Amino acid sequence: MRLPTGLAETVQVALEDFFGTSIVLENATAVGGGCIHHATRLETSQGPIFLKYNHPHEFGNFEAERRGLGLLHATSTLRTPEPFVTGQSDSHAFFAMEFLESGSRPSNFWEDFGQQLAQLHRQTAPQFGLDHDNFIGRLPQSNRQHPDWVTFFREERLAPQLQLSQQNGLADTALQRSFERLYPQLEGLMPPAEPSLLHGDLWSGNFMTGPDGLAAIFDPAVYYGHREAEIAFTELFGGYAPVFYRAYNEAWPLEMGWKERVDLFNLYPLMVHLNLFGRGYLPQVQRILNRYT
């Protein structure tokens, strides 16, 4: 396949600036799996490169992803694609990063994954949030910083999604009242925690087995948050292998009762899915709210 007119030249110049050497773009092959952006394996004289591209207005999304992958990559815990460069042509925005080949999954894959995620979560910050906003899927994600988790979860996670669902005609006053009843109870329902660096969107579609047989994570929605929010996210669509959770708890034990709090933490991603995909997620949200209110 060929990249769109003008995009190849812009990508080539950006990569040459990044690597500090001349680069030849040899071939481009479409890669499946993405639901938002075009994804391409770009064969170059520097080796294979993973290229995402879309309309110019997606530049902010790409730039946020580059910064998020950079934060994760710098921890040297879980493997991530090394982020290279973002840029824009007249008709496209793009993000070029390391292309990770898929490897075979060894018997200790889940155990190593759990231990490495615990290591990632030990990366801390003074406050919950981040010094910049980003995205979760196509939706903006506010990361305004707060000193305590409950305020951050309420003001930067639940309330914006509730407001968006009301604007989109997906939520009624009953849902709003349910959230209003929940908010005062959150402090008693969620244990205190220090801010941990989170991938932020760690469902089963956002990791792979890397070339070394270890887990590699990608497509982040990074922020410093409560680590139980990440663990809950892994259970959102079926969960990971049981040994993953055992290994995580051996590396850094979670507070007692964490399994009973999974649904509570998952109110945020479920509200995101409500706003992205429609009313099909509303009954699940309401059931969780009924349980806690």
Side-chain angles (χ1 to χ4, degrees):
M1 63 170 285
R2 295 176 61 87
L3 293 178
T5 303
L7 179 59
E9 292 80 359
T10 307
V11 169
Q12 181 178 6
V13 170
L15 289 172
E16 288 178 341
D17 287 345
F18 179 82
F19 287 107
T21 187
S22 60
I23 289 179
V24 178
L25 306 186
E26 298 166 351
N27 190 34
T29 306
V31 177
C35 60
I36 298 177
H37 309 298
H38 301 286
T40 302
R41 175 180 172 132
L42 197 59
E43 304 293 346
T44 79
S45 54
Q46 194 72 19
I49 287 173
F50 189 77
L51 180 72
K52 289 183 174 184
Y53 63 93
N54 212 323
H55 298 293
H57 67 261
E58 297 286 358
F59 177 79
N61 194 309
F62 289 144
E63 182 60 14
E65 182 180 357
R66 183 192 66 80
R67 295 177 73 176
L69 278 178
L71 283 170
L72 297 173
H73 189 77
T75 68
S76 299
T77 55
L78 278 162
R79 178 79 178 266
T80 69
E82 181 182 356
F84 294 156
V85 64
T86 56
Q88 289 178 285
S89 69
D90 291 339
S91 57
H92 293 87
F94 65 87
F95 176 24
M97 69 190 86
E98 177 186 11
F99 189 95
L100 293 181
E101 301 283 357
S102 180
S104 59
R105 184 171 294 183
S107 60
N108 61 342
F109 172 84
W110 289 109
E111 183 176 5
D112 288 342
F113 192 178
Q115 292 172 349
Q116 289 178 319
L117 185 64
Q119 292 172 16
L120 172 65
H121 289 170
R122 288 192 180 276
Q123 314 302 309
T124 64
Q127 298 194 83
F128 295 93
L130 200 59
D131 62 0
H132 63 276
D133 295 338
N134 48 27
F135 295 82
I136 183 161
R138 283 192 179 275
L139 298 183
Q141 178 170 265
S142 172
N143 293 318
R144 187 165 54 117
Q145 294 174 313
H146 295 270
D148 69 283
W149 167 253
V150 167
T151 302
F152 177 83
F153 189 60
R154 182 184 67 240
E155 299 298 327
E156 313 306 327
R157 291 295 177 263
L158 298 183
Q161 294 302 319
L162 176 60
Q163 181 179 20
L164 183 59
S165 68
Q166 292 169 323
Q167 292 172 355
N168 293 339
L170 297 168
D172 55 18
T173 55
L175 189 70
Q176 180 177 349
R177 285 195 295 268
S178 294
F179 273 103
E180 289 172 350
R181 289 194 299 270
L182 174 69
Y183 291 157
Q185 300 184 56
L186 287 174
E187 190 166 355
L189 291 169
M190 293 178 156
E194 60 183 346
S196 290
L197 182 60
L198 308 183
H199 173 281
D201 193 4
L202 200 56
W203 70 290
S204 59
N206 283 345
F207 77 86
M208 60 178 285
T209 306
D212 53 4
L214 296 173
I217 57 177
F218 46 88
D219 288 351
V222 169
Y223 66 100
Y224 286 89
H226 198 303
R227 63 194 180 110
E228 283 192 28
E230 187 106 285
I231 298 300
F233 217 127
T234 68
E235 295 214 349
L236 190 58
F237 298 113
Y240 292 6
V243 67
F244 166 87
Y245 301 99
R246 290 199 297 270
Y248 183 99
N249 272 287
E250 288 171 1
W252 190 8
L254 293 161
E255 294 289 334
M256 289 185 60
W258 67 269
K259 290 184 179 180
E260 285 69 44
R261 293 186 290 271
V262 164
D263 284 348
L264 183 62
F265 281 94
N266 275 343
L267 274 174
Y268 173 58
L270 287 171
M271 286 296 292
V272 168
H273 279 74
L274 173 67
N275 285 313
L276 285 173
F277 305 114
R279 290 180 177 274
Y281 288 92
L282 191 56
Q284 192 172 356
V285 170
Q286 190 63 67
R287 282 196 299 270
I288 295 172
L289 289 168
N290 291 343
R291 174 183 168 190
Y292 288 100
T293 61

